[in-house]
Amino acid sequence: MVKKNDNRDFSQIPRVVIKRLFKYHSALENLLSKGTVKVSSKSLSADVHVKASQLRKDLAYCGEFGTRGKGYDVKYLNGKLAEILGLHTEWNYILAGFGHVGHAFVCYEGIFRKGFNVKGIFDIDEKKIGQVFRGIEICDISKMPEIVREHNVQIGVITVPFDSGQSVCDKMIEAGITAILNFAPVLLKPKKSIFIERIDISRELVTLSHYLSHHKE
Amino acid sequence: MVKKNDNRDFSQIPRVVIKRLFKYHSALENLLSKGTVKVSSKSLSADVHVKASQLRKDLAYCGEFGTRGKGYDVKYLNGKLAEILGLHTEWNYILAGFGHVGHAFVCYEGIFRKGFNVKGIFDIDEKKIGQVFRGIEICDISKMPEIVREHNVQIGVITVPFDSGQSVCDKMIEAGITAILNFAPVLLKPKKSIFIERIDISRELVTLSHYLSHHKE
DNA sequence: ACGTGATTGTGATAAAATTAACAAGCTATT
DNA sequence: AATAGCTTGTTAATTTTATCACAATCACGT
């Protein structure tokens, strides 16, 4: 089953589309585990609450993966999406700030299952430094460059509180990190152009309070 | 300082705008703590990395808060935004699933500081039930309706793993919850129309792996 | 091999969000 | 009080995103 999927520039796909591609991927994994072989854009899109036309438009960014009149091969499409999403490889990450959030992140099953492996944990707390968690020694941040180099780490996860986020970001970039996931409540200003994704728990909560305040009845 | 801000329907403001309003609010809090009294759209928007015209456009959804030629009164605008975002009141929430993520959530300082108070924690683990955490007894889910009623709880936070998310969602709605923050890796299908916000850590990570895969150099 | 029913891929259209542009209005200064 | 200098609020233009609509294509039964 050869498809024209040649020489496409996946780097130009909008972020919104990437996020939906991941939804499709998750839904496909689900179908796969149930042994489903074929799926139509109509049925798959319904699973993730988007319009079928949008699903097809999204896939059009990447190539042609279906057969008209029939639908998509679940396994094939899933594999292709995994490739586009970079889930066909393993990735290494380091984490800075081993508090509650950092701890929860490292323990999060889904992350490990998707091929993201922790290679370094950093904290400023003297009491934590030297402890070993799941085979990883908690280190002082000064060891970051060494660990990043030795383990070929690409991703940095920032789970420090408040303002120390920026200095951690700087150190990560210096160490050679090129993509950051930031849980700290600060807007990072990277010295070099790298990719940053942010998760701000407060922000999501606040959309709830806005809703509750203004949608009475 | 009276402004025309009358009878606006804040419920029609798009979600993207709400999220940015929160950014402005955070930046203003910051300015406030530094004692800044006045700020221009240019300077405030730079703080949060958006265009000045967008900031003004966003504010236009809500009313008129500035004075031409001068700028915005930091304290006044901050108060107004807090009102629009529903941060002028206290909110009560319950949390289901007291694992790593649930634990991290309850301990998260920023949430408490913004006026969100935990009133109930639920888990299915027999060993956890009965334990008291920060004055809250961990209960079986059967006690949910009672606790929601007694403490006037509006918000439900779901931090259970995998598929149990849906049944927890159903129970929350039954108990009277009208807004849910979902950390579980499932797309919730609420029986009644309520407000749901989702945080999917995997999804954000995957945008990083996509970036790393396709933006080499 | 031909027609039928189904479903994709895509060009056209519509809607939403962002950016630009500028008139209206305030402040300060002379 | 008139002018100059800013900055807002708002309309218009642009860009991005989502939806529609349908021709192209395939599978399958006859």
Side-chain angles (χ1 to χ4, degrees):
Chain A
M1 194 192 286
V2 181
K3 292 281 171 185
K4 61 167 171 177
N5 167 22
D6 26 274
N7 298 334
R8 283 190 187 255
D9 188 359
F10 295 142
S11 69
Q12 296 309 306
I13 304 173
R15 252 189 233 204
V16 259
V17 175
I18 294 296
K19 305 235 160 140
R20 278 195 303 266
L21 292 182
F22 177 65
K23 287 189 185 182
Y24 309 146
H25 173 71
S26 302
L28 287 167
E29 290 267 288
N30 209 22
L31 290 176
L32 211 51
S33 75
K34 287 194 293 189
T36 312
V37 174
K38 284 276 177 188
V39 70
S40 70
S41 64
K42 193 177 169 189
S43 140
L44 180 57
S45 65
D47 286 354
V48 299
H49 290 192
V50 307
K51 293 262 183 346
S53 56
Q54 177 149 76
L55 163 56
R56 295 201 300 274
K57 223 353 164 355
D58 288 344
L59 294 182
Y61 277 100
C62 314
E64 295 181 18
F65 305 116
T67 52
R68 300 181 185 208
K70 196 91 184 278
Y72 302 92
D73 181 281
V74 173
K75 197 170 174 184
Y76 177 77
L77 181 57
N78 192 45
K80 280 297 178 185
L81 287 183
E83 211 175 289
I84 293 157
L85 293 171
L87 293 175
H88 55 312
T89 351
E90 300 270 313
W91 298 101
N92 297 325
Y93 73 88
I94 53 171
L95 181 140
F98 200 53
H100 296 299
V101 178
H103 194 261
F105 188 90
V106 174
C107 294
Y108 196 68
E109 263 306 309
I111 288 165
F112 173 71
R113 242 181 312 109
K114 289 200 170 54
F116 295 91
N117 306 301
V118 60
K119 294 295 180 180
I121 301 176
F122 303 91
D123 205 290
I124 43 164
D125 187 345
E126 296 284 349
K127 288 191 291 293
K128 289 178 187 167
I129 291 173
Q131 286 180 20
V132 176
F133 186 81
R134 302 202 170 179
I136 306 287
E137 186 186 343
I138 299 166
C139 297
D140 183 82
I141 202 160
S142 60
K143 287 218 177 155
M144 194 182 279
E146 186 187 326
I147 288 171
V148 168
R149 200 174 344 104
E150 276 182 15
H151 292 92
N152 188 31
V153 174
Q154 304 88 7
I155 296 170
V157 178
I158 299 179
T159 49
V160 299
F162 309 103
D163 11 76
S164 46
Q166 183 59 50
S167 74
V168 169
C169 169
D170 294 343
K171 293 228 174 66
M172 282 182 169
I173 291 175
E174 230 172 278
I177 291 294
T178 50
I180 285 178
L181 181 59
N182 178 31
F183 285 86
V186 283
L187 181 63
L188 298 177
K189 299 184 174 80
K191 302 264 189 289
K192 240 183 62 187
S193 167
I194 62 160
F195 190 89
I196 297 180
E197 192 70 45
R198 175 149 174 221
I199 294 179
D200 187 340
I201 295 171
S202 301
R203 185 193 306 165
E204 309 308 321
L205 248 187
V206 164
T207 64
L208 299 193
S209 63
H210 163 260
Y211 170 83
L212 290 166
S213 291
H214 303 290
H215 290 73
K216 302 258 151 148
E217 319 310 291
Chain B
M1 192 192 289
V2 181
K3 290 282 171 185
K4 59 166 169 176
N5 168 21
D6 26 273
N7 298 333
R8 284 193 186 250
D9 187 0
F10 295 141
S11 69
Q12 296 309 306
I13 304 173
R15 250 188 233 205
V16 258
V17 174
I18 295 296
K19 304 233 161 141
R20 279 197 301 269
L21 291 181
F22 177 66
K23 287 189 185 183
Y24 307 146
H25 174 71
S26 302
L28 286 166
E29 290 268 287
N30 208 22
L31 289 176
L32 211 52
S33 76
K34 287 194 294 190
T36 313
V37 174
K38 285 277 177 187
V39 70
S40 70
S41 63
K42 192 176 168 188
S43 140
L44 179 57
S45 64
D47 286 353
V48 299
H49 291 192
V50 306
K51 294 263 185 341
S53 56
Q54 177 148 77
L55 162 56
R56 296 202 299 274
K57 195 80 200 262
D58 289 343
L59 293 181
Y61 277 101
C62 315
E64 296 181 19
F65 306 116
T67 52
R68 301 181 182 206
K70 195 94 184 275
Y72 302 93
D73 182 280
V74 173
K75 197 169 174 185
Y76 176 78
L77 180 57
N78 191 44
K80 281 296 179 185
L81 287 183
E83 212 174 289
I84 292 158
L85 293 172
L87 293 175
H88 55 311
T89 350
E90 300 269 314
W91 299 102
N92 297 327
Y93 74 88
I94 53 171
L95 181 139
F98 201 54
H100 295 300
V101 177
H103 194 261
F105 188 90
V106 173
C107 294
Y108 196 67
E109 264 306 310
I111 289 165
F112 173 71
R113 241 181 313 108
K114 289 200 170 55
F116 295 91
N117 307 303
V118 61
K119 294 295 178 180
I121 300 176
F122 303 92
D123 204 291
I124 43 163
D125 187 345
E126 294 286 349
K127 289 191 291 293
K128 288 178 187 168
I129 291 172
Q131 286 179 20
V132 175
F133 186 81
R134 301 202 172 181
I136 306 287
E137 186 186 344
I138 298 166
C139 297
D140 182 81
I141 203 162
S142 59
K143 287 217 177 153
M144 195 183 276
E146 185 188 328
I147 288 171
V148 167
R149 201 177 340 105
E150 274 182 13
H151 292 91
N152 188 32
V153 174
Q154 303 88 7
I155 296 171
V157 179
I158 298 179
T159 49
V160 299
F162 308 104
D163 11 75
S164 46
Q166 183 59 51
S167 73
V168 168
C169 169
D170 294 343
K171 294 229 174 64
M172 281 181 170
I173 291 175
E174 229 173 277
I177 291 294
T178 50
I180 285 178
L181 181 57
N182 178 33
F183 284 86
V186 283
L187 182 62
L188 297 177
K189 299 184 173 81
K191 303 262 191 288
K192 241 182 62 188
S193 167
I194 61 160
F195 190 89
I196 297 180
E197 192 71 44
R198 173 145 176 226
I199 295 180
D200 187 340
I201 295 170
S202 300
R203 185 192 306 165
E204 309 309 320
L205 248 187
V206 166
T207 63
L208 299 193
S209 63
H210 164 261
Y211 171 84
L212 290 167
S213 292
H214 304 289
H215 291 73
K216 302 255 150 146
E217 317 314 289

